[in-house]
């Protein structure tokens, strides 16, 4: 398995400060998980179907959080490549909700304006959430088109899109929630909430 | 086949089944109808938040599913057809049970207390009950000789907080074997398909799907059976291999085995055409 972390310069000493302890506690608090329970058996990393594409393995991400290495944790590609499939959670002998840790780190990366390791994945998530805000449901065709527009990438996947359209797997018009004001109320509710990034 | 009166169950289709996976939706409805269960679509349901809301906006994680819980009439279980929608709805309900502040917020938003006794179920819950009642015992073995690999993807994997919930390992095999089909042992039955990486990092999803498709080819499977719309789409569009094994919805096979669905056009909608296979097995004309 390839792992970019292996090729990074080794740090033999990590200087812990009180502030770094805050980070570990904040991750635990947001994720509702005590990350100190992780003893690095690597069951999560060996079970993860996407570990090979990550810069840090899932247990290494937890290690970064335990050691308070905030910047490395929040800028890692791993937290975005994780799709939350929960395979790691099934493997974990310590019942750590690894996917919830990844959720917490993603949300913190946005709140702290960290350099996002996988900007395209974040952009995709934003388009999905925007679609829900507009219609109450996801409109796949529009999500794809807006996402491709942002990336200036019109050519990849044209074939797939045409096939899906011909099989009527992509609706031209969005399906909308009738009482859209209720969806707006939900979004209003979170606008004031701390940590949510408006574009 | 059906016994007694029609049982009604609230039904949350979710965005995928309402659009790209309409054949999954229709076969599910047809199958349950044939067995005396009427799925009543939740009126004006909204998206559960998918993989994106909880990834980037903590506050949306439970608010979006909570509106759907508020729409569910009492005294009826709520079926979420999509495995990811199920997780989102169920985790929200569990949070409401445990967290008084979340329950209070729910009451303020939706004007009533949440239904603590609401049962949220998957397709597998209902099917497993049917197996226990012996529903498939005397079914004609219409699927005889169909060699399949069961593909669960991540749908049996759950967060630690749900470790004590029912689990359904082997259910698709159990049911399909009783209908005459032949399960093959393979390596990739629980490997995630990549979900949204199929859009945002197609290279990673294609690697995953190639491994899954190759494993099915290696054991000479005639088809891959899935119960998830996301898995179905990714397996159909992201395999870089020249050989493509048809992907069938579990509900399509169940309907075919109950003698319905052959002429309904579900199979025309597949991007990897399963019709030659189904015709060779005498399952469709």
């Amino acid at each position: 398995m390839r792992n970019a972390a292996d090729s990074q310069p080794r740090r033999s000493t990590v200087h812990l400060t009180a502030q770094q302890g805050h980070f570990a506690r904040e991750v635990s608090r947001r994720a509702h998980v005590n990350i100190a329970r992780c003893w690095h058996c690597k069951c999560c990393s060996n079970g993860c179907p996407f570990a090979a594409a990550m810069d840090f393995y899932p247990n290494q991400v937890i290690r970064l959080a335990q050691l308070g290495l905030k910047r490395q944790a929040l800028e890692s590609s791993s937290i975005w490549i994780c799709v939350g499939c929960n395979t790691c959670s099934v493997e974990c002998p310590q019942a750590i909700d690894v996917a919830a840790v990844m959720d917490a780190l993603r949300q913190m990366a946005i709140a702290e304006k960290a350099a996002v390791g996988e900007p395209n994945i974040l952009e995709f998530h934003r388009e999905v959430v925007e679609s829900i805000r507009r219609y109450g449901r996801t409109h796949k065709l529009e999500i794809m088109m807006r996402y491709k527009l942002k990336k200036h990438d019109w050519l990849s996947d044209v074939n797939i899109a045409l096939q899906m359209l011909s099989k009527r797997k992509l609706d031209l018009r969005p399906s909308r929630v009738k009482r859209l004001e209720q969806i707006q109320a939900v979004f209003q509710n979170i606008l004031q909430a701390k940590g949510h990034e408006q574009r | 086949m059906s016994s007694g009166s029609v049982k009604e169950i609230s039904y949350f289709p979710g965005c995928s089944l309402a659009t790209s996976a309409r054949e999954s939706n229709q076969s599910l409805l047809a199958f349950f109808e044939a067995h005396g269960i009427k799925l009543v679509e939740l009126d004006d349901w909204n998206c559960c938040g998918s993989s994106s809301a909880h990834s980037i906006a903590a506050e949306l994680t439970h608010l979006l599913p909570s509106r759907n819980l508020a729409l569910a009439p009492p005294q009826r279980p709520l079926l979420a057809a999509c495995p990811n929608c199920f997780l989102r709805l169920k985790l929200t309900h569990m949070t409401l049970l445990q967290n008084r502040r979340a329950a209070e917020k729910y009451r303020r938003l939706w004007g009533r207390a949440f239904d603590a006794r609401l049962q949220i179920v998957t397709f597998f819950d209902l099917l497993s009950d049917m197996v226990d009642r012996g529903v498939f015992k005397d079914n004609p073995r219409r699927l005889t000789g169909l060699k399949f690999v069961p593909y669960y993807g991540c749908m049996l994997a759950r967060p630690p907080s749900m470790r004590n919930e029912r689990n359904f390992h082997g259910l698709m095999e159990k049911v399909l074997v009783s209908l005459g089909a032949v399960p093959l042992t393979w390596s990739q039955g629980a490997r995630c398909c990549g979900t949204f990486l199929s859009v945002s990092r197609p290279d990673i999803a294609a690697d995953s799907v190639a491994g899954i498709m190759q494993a099915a080819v290696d054991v000479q499977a005639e088809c891959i059976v899935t119960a998830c719309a996301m898995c179905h789409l990714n397996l159909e569009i992201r395999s870089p291999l020249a050989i493509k094994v048809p992907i069938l919805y579990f509900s399509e096979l169940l309907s075919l085995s109950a003698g319905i669905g052959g002429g309904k056009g579900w199979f025309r909608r597949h991007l990897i055409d399963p019709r030659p296979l189904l015709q060779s097995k005498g399952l469709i004309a």
Side-chain angles (χ1 to χ4, degrees):
Chain A
M1 227 187 262
R2 280 178 297 112
N3 183 6
D6 294 340
S7 59
Q8 289 186 355
R10 300 236 161 159
R11 280 188 188 79
S12 51
T13 313
V14 175
H15 296 285
L16 295 178
T17 65
Q19 212 164 15
Q20 287 170 317
H22 287 318
F23 180 64
R25 277 193 295 279
E26 179 62 7
V27 173
S28 289
R29 187 188 68 78
R30 283 188 183 240
H32 304 285
V33 167
N34 178 4
I35 60 169
R37 279 213 306 257
C38 174
W39 55 34
H40 300 279
C41 68
K42 301 181 186 171
C43 285
C44 56
S45 299
N46 285 319
C48 175
F50 306 111
M54 295 175 169
D55 53 1
F56 291 100
Y57 291 143
N59 78 289
Q60 292 175 324
V61 172
I62 292 180
R63 193 67 180 143
L64 292 175
Q66 285 174 333
L67 293 176
L69 298 173
K70 182 171 172 177
R71 195 177 58 78
Q72 287 94 322
L74 297 188
E75 291 181 0
S76 81
S77 73
S78 312
I79 62 175
W80 298 99
I81 287 170
C82 165
V83 300
C85 73
N86 290 316
T87 308
C88 47
S89 288
V90 174
E91 308 283 347
C92 181
Q94 289 289 77
I96 292 171
D97 191 338
V98 184
V101 173
M102 298 292 186
D103 266 349
L105 290 171
R106 280 188 285 264
Q107 293 158 10
M108 289 172 80
I110 295 171
E112 308 256 341
K113 299 189 165 57
V116 168
E118 288 282 336
N120 286 345
I121 297 178
L122 171 58
E123 197 50 48
F124 171 77
H125 287 316
R126 283 192 161 136
E127 287 302 340
V128 172
V129 170
E130 276 300 295
S131 190
I132 300 170
R133 191 177 62 77
R134 274 196 295 274
Y135 309 118
R137 294 179 187 170
T138 57
H139 183 218
K140 285 185 183 159
L141 182 61
E142 192 180 87
I143 291 169
M144 299 289 290
M145 289 179 57
R146 290 176 61 100
Y147 173 73
K148 298 273 182 195
L149 182 70
K150 288 247 166 61
K151 278 182 62 195
H152 303 289
D153 164 23
W154 285 100
L155 294 175
S156 68
D157 293 342
V158 166
N159 268 341
I160 290 171
L162 289 177
Q163 275 185 62
M164 288 181 68
L165 280 167
S166 77
K167 300 281 184 183
R168 299 205 204 137
K169 281 178 174 277
L170 284 174
D171 287 358
L172 296 175
R173 289 163 164 276
S175 165
R176 288 165 193 266
V177 164
K178 284 175 272 176
R179 282 161 287 170
L180 211 51
E181 69 280 2
Q182 295 186 340
I183 302 298
Q184 284 156 0
V186 164
F187 277 82
Q188 270 312 290
N189 203 297
I190 70 153
L191 277 188
Q192 299 108 10
K194 222 172 69 181
H196 180 66
E197 276 304 275
Q198 271 298 89
R199 280 190 288 173
Chain B
M1 229 176 280
S2 60
S3 58
S5 59
V6 173
K7 188 180 174 193
E8 290 194 342
I9 288 179
S10 299
Y11 177 46
F12 181 84
C15 300
S16 286
L17 269 81
T19 57
S20 51
R22 219 165 272 137
E23 63 275 31
S24 169
N25 198 18
Q26 289 164 355
S27 53
L28 197 74
L29 292 167
F31 168 73
F32 280 120
E33 193 187 355
H35 288 279
I37 295 174
K38 191 178 174 207
L39 302 184
V40 184
E41 188 168 319
L42 214 57
D43 181 43
D44 207 31
W45 57 269
N46 62 270
C47 174
C48 68
S50 187
S51 297
S52 297
H54 66 85
S55 285
I56 63 169
E59 303 80 4
L60 282 179
T61 308
H62 297 307
L63 288 182
L64 283 171
S66 78
R67 179 172 175 274
N68 295 308
L69 300 185
L71 293 172
Q75 274 131 24
R76 245 191 225 166
L78 170 62
L79 167 67
C82 162
N84 194 21
C85 299
F86 165 75
L87 270 188
R88 308 269 63 94
L89 297 176
K90 181 74 181 176
L91 288 170
T92 293
H93 195 251
M94 287 169 65
T95 300
L96 289 167
L97 283 168
Q98 289 156 10
N99 182 330
R100 206 184 291 173
R101 271 177 51 205
E104 177 53 30
K105 196 168 194 176
Y106 178 104
R107 206 186 51 74
R108 262 188 288 125
L109 257 176
W110 311 121
R112 79 192 83 136
F114 82 100
D115 180 358
R117 284 182 305 178
L118 179 68
Q119 256 190 301
I120 304 167
V121 298
T122 62
F123 176 28
F124 283 180
D125 282 275
L126 298 179
L127 203 67
S128 186
D129 292 344
M130 290 166 77
V131 171
D132 293 346
R133 290 203 306 273
V135 167
F136 300 103
K137 253 196 204 143
D138 308 315
N139 255 32
R141 295 167 64 88
R142 287 202 174 90
L143 305 182
T144 292
L146 181 71
K147 287 190 276 181
F148 74 99
V149 283
Y151 179 65
Y152 291 92
C154 70
M155 66 183 292
L156 299 178
R158 285 157 182 193
S161 57
M162 289 179 67
R163 279 193 180 173
N164 297 329
E165 300 288 320
R166 288 171 84 179
N167 76 69
F168 302 103
H169 293 272
L171 182 65
M172 291 202 287
E173 295 92 304
K174 193 172 176 180
V175 173
L176 293 175
V177 164
S178 76
L179 300 170
V182 182
L184 302 170
T185 303
W186 73 320
S187 59
Q188 301 285 309
R191 187 193 168 99
C192 170
C193 71
T195 93
F196 60 79
L197 293 177
S198 181
V199 179
S200 46
R201 280 294 303 269
D203 55 321
I204 301 177
D207 272 355
S208 204
V209 171
I212 294 162
M213 191 62 85
Q214 186 63 53
V217 171
D218 288 347
V219 297
Q220 294 172 338
E222 292 173 313
C223 63
I224 299 171
V225 182
T226 176
C228 170
M230 184 80 246
C231 295
H232 190 272
L233 184 63
N234 278 353
L235 293 186
E236 284 208 318
I237 67 173
R238 284 294 169 215
S239 174
L241 305 187
I243 309 180
K244 297 195 195 301
V245 181
I247 330 289
L248 290 164
Y249 281 111
F250 188 32
S251 52
E252 287 177 329
L253 278 180
L254 290 172
S255 289
L256 282 178
S257 77
I260 35 177
K264 288 187 187 279
W266 303 335
F267 306 109
R268 240 195 348 252
R269 288 173 49 85
H270 288 228
L271 299 176
I272 302 174
D273 193 351
R275 286 172 296 181
L277 168 68
L278 297 174
Q279 280 157 357
S280 76
K281 300 285 172 186
L283 287 165
I284 60 171

